[in-house]
Amino acid sequence: MFWSLARLALPLVLLMGWTATAQAQDALRGREMKRRRVSLTVATADKPVELHVAPDYLTALEFDSPIDRAAVSLGDSGSRLALFEVNARSIVLKPAMDLGPGRGVELIVPFADSAAPSRVMFSLVTHPAEMDAQVMVSRMPRTAEAIQAELDEVRATCGAKDAELEALRARTVASGPAGMILSGLLGDEGFRARRSPVLGAADGLEPEEAVTYRAGGWGAVALRVRNTGPQPWTPVEARLSMVASGERINVLAVRMREPRIEPGGAALVVVETGAPNWPERALLRLELRDKDGGRRLLIPRFAF
C-alpha cells in the first residue's frame, strides 16, 4: 500500500515542480526588455530617473561622460543586489529580489568632469511588465539661459581684468620722470625725498637705511634690508600704519629688483602707497612679511 501511494505521489511532485518552473519562466518572459536613452538637463538634475529592473536580469547603464567611481552612492547595503559593478563610463547591476513600489533603491552617480549637470539620480524599482536592459545616459547641451549666465560671468571677469590691465599700463607708462608727469603721478608740486633713520630687527633681518618719497598722488618708502639669517627671504606683504592712531595706510605694492635676498646679502625693498593722507613727518609703523608669514621685519616707528 505504501509503495503504491509513493508511486502516485512522485509524479504529482514532479508535476508541481514543472508547473512552478513554467510559471516563473512565463513571468520572466512576460517582461519586455527595453533599450532606453536618458537625456539629462540642469533643470531636472535633482529629479530621480526611474529604472525598471528585474531579479536575475542584468541592467547596464552607459554614460557619455566619465563618472566619479569613488563617489557613486547606492542606498542599499547590497543585500538586494546580486551584482553591482562600477566602471569608468558604465554601471552593471542585477537585483537579487523584487524591488516593488516604496522599496526602490536610490543610486546617485556623480560625474568626474566639471560640466553640468554634475550628477544623476536613479530610483531602481521592479516593474511587472518591463525591465531596462540597456540605458544610455547623456547630458543635454546647456540651455540658452545657462550659456548666457556663463557669458555674463566671463564678461564681468574680463571687465575686472581689463581694469587691472589699465592700471598696470598706467604704471608702466609712468616709468621715468617724463612718464610720471604724463600719467599724472607727478604733479606741479613735484615730490620730496628724505632719508630717515630706522631701527628694527627680527628673524635675521636688519634695515640699513630708508628713503621716503612723497608726492601729491603717491608715496613710497625705499628700505635697504640685510638678511643675516640662514635662509633666503622675499617680502611680499607690507603693513603700514600711523603710530599715533593705528590707522592703516593703503599699500599698493611691495617691489624688489632681485627675486629674493640671499643669506648675508642686502637688497632695496620699495613699498608703494596711494596719495598720502597723513601729516608730513608723521611717525609711521612698517611691517614686512614673507609669503608664509614665518619671517617678518618690524620697524616700530620712522618719520614720513
Side-chain angles (χ1 to χ4, degrees), residues 43-68:
T44 61
D46 294 328
K47 297 179 180 179
V49 177
E50 186 172 282
L51 289 184
H52 297 157
V53 296
D56 300 323
Y57 272 43
L58 291 177
T59 294
L61 306 176
E62 300 178 15
F63 301 88
D64 66 346
S65 305
I67 62 179
D68 187 351

Side-chain angles (χ1 to χ4, degrees), residues 200-202 205-207 223 225 233 286-288 296-299:
L205 303 168
E206 296 180 359
L223 181 69
V225 178
W233 186 67
L286 175 63
E287 181 181 354
L288 295 173
R296 65 171 191 160
L297 173 61
L298 176 62
I299 301 173

